[in-house]
């Protein structure tokens, strides 16, 4: 819509004697278009020729489809008051940040390692960690469903530890054993194998995870007792 189609106008009031003294064809324009802009500067992400009737100024912000509760494939122009009220806007998104040619990026914390999904912050997983990726962010991947468990991550050698600005620290299975207990997302411990070769069969090789945990418990107990003997504080 062009500014020439404005709904609101400013009307100038003149004193009666001035109106009488000047012929009508020489009088200044009685009404003129309201030149007020809604924003100090409007470039990418704005429709500067749209009239915001509720606020009474020119210019509307274009909100990205993902930041809208209705979704869609194209940005939608929103009035200032609609944006302030959050009308039709997904509260998981920050509409003050430009995202390409429209406004609206997912809210994050911890330097981008956590992202807001359905009102709660969830981990942003490093690229390649998740099996089911619902959305890609600047720092990695997020899922809208249940977060992966410790055991699911351990199957691929990952733990839910922060790795720069995303989660998913890798441990080589040939060098580390990741032990998961219960439903905790973090492992109960990570054991350094010290070059142990599990490809060599032996008669006392643990037959299941429970037996393996007992072996590791024994190793930890012996290590602690030896440390108390040979490493003392001055």
């Amino acid at each position: 819509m062009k500014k020439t189609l404005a709904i609101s106008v400013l009307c100038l009031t003149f004193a009666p004697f001035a109106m009488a003294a000047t012929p009508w064809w020489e009088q200044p324009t009685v009404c003129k278009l309201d030149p007020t802009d809604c924003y100090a500067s409007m470039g990418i992400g704005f429709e500067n020729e749209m009239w915001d009737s509720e606020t009474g100024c020119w210019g509307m912000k274009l909100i990205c489809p993902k930041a809208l509760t209705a979704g869609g494939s194209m940005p939608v122009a929103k009035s200032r008051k609609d944006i302030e009220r959050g009308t039709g806007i997904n509260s998981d998104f920050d509409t003050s940040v430009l995202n390409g040619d429209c406004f609206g990026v997912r809210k994050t914390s911890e330097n981008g390692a956590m992202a807001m999904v359905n009102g709660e912050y969830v981990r942003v997983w490093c690229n390649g960690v998740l099996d089911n990726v619902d959305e890609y962010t600047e720092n990695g991947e997020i899922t809208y469903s249940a977060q992966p468990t410790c055991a699911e991550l351990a199957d691929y050698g990952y733990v839910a530890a922060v790795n720069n600005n995303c989660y998913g620290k890798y441990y080589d299975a040939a060098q580390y054993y990741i032990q998961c207990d219960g439903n905790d997302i973090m492992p109960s411990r990570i054991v350094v194998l010290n070059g142990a070769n599990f490809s060599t069969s032996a008669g006392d090789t643990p037959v299941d995870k429970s037996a393996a945990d007992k072996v590791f418990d024994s190793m930890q107990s012996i290590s602690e007792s030896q440390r108390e003997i040979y490493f003392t504080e001055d």
Side-chain angles (χ1 to χ4, degrees):
M1 182 184 297
K2 301 297 183 181
K3 291 187 178 180
T4 53
L5 301 179
I7 299 172
S8 176
V9 294
L10 294 177
C11 294
L12 304 179
T13 304
F14 302 94
F17 70 88
M19 296 286 288
T22 306
W24 66 266
W25 61 88
E26 293 180 0
Q27 292 177 13
T29 304
V30 175
C31 297
K32 64 178 181 179
L33 301 179
D34 187 344
T36 306
D37 288 334
C38 295
Y39 300 93
S41 61
M42 290 183 284
I44 299 174
F46 292 92
E47 284 288 356
N48 62 350
E49 294 188 347
M50 291 191 71
W51 177 252
D52 186 341
S53 59
E54 188 174 13
T55 310
C57 55
W58 288 103
M60 287 189 179
K61 262 188 179 181
L62 291 171
I63 306 302
C64 299
K66 285 186 177 180
L68 299 169
T69 54
S73 58
M74 296 294 293
V76 173
K78 286 280 187 179
S79 70
R80 293 184 68 172
K81 291 192 178 295
D82 271 351
I83 294 173
E84 291 171 2
R85 290 188 293 253
T87 305
I89 296 174
N90 188 333
S91 60
D92 291 342
F93 288 77
D94 184 352
T95 55
S96 67
V97 181
L98 184 64
N99 183 11
D101 59 355
C102 53
F103 285 85
V105 297
R106 190 173 289 279
K107 295 175 182 177
T108 60
S109 64
E110 295 185 16
N111 197 29
M114 300 285 286
M116 184 171 285
V117 176
N118 297 326
E120 297 182 355
Y121 281 103
V122 300
R123 287 175 171 83
V124 174
W125 299 96
C126 300
N127 292 324
V129 174
L130 291 179
D131 278 338
N132 54 327
V133 180
D134 290 312
E135 184 180 324
Y136 293 93
T137 71
E138 182 179 357
N139 294 334
E141 312 162 341
I142 58 175
T143 177
Y144 304 153
S145 55
Q147 299 296 299
T149 65
C150 174
E152 289 171 341
L153 293 168
D155 284 343
Y156 299 98
Y158 287 103
V159 296
V162 68
N163 183 10
N164 294 321
N165 51 8
C166 57
Y167 281 85
K169 194 169 182 180
Y170 178 74
Y171 287 85
D172 188 345
Q175 302 178 43
Y176 301 93
Y177 170 72
I178 302 171
Q179 181 176 329
C180 299
D181 293 333
N183 295 321
D184 293 337
I185 192 170
M186 293 296 294
S188 56
R189 60 184 168 184
I190 300 174
V191 180
V192 181
L193 300 179
N194 290 328
N197 185 0
F198 283 92
S199 63
T200 303
S201 61
D204 58 351
T205 300
V207 295
D208 55 24
K209 182 179 181 299
S210 177
D213 288 343
K214 289 181 180 179
V215 173
F216 286 123
D217 287 337
S218 176
M219 292 169 58
Q220 185 178 31
S221 176
I222 294 172
S223 177
E224 289 177 351
S225 64
Q226 293 296 307
R227 183 179 59 188
E228 291 177 358
I229 296 173
Y230 297 105
F231 296 91
T232 59
E233 296 183 1
D234 294 335

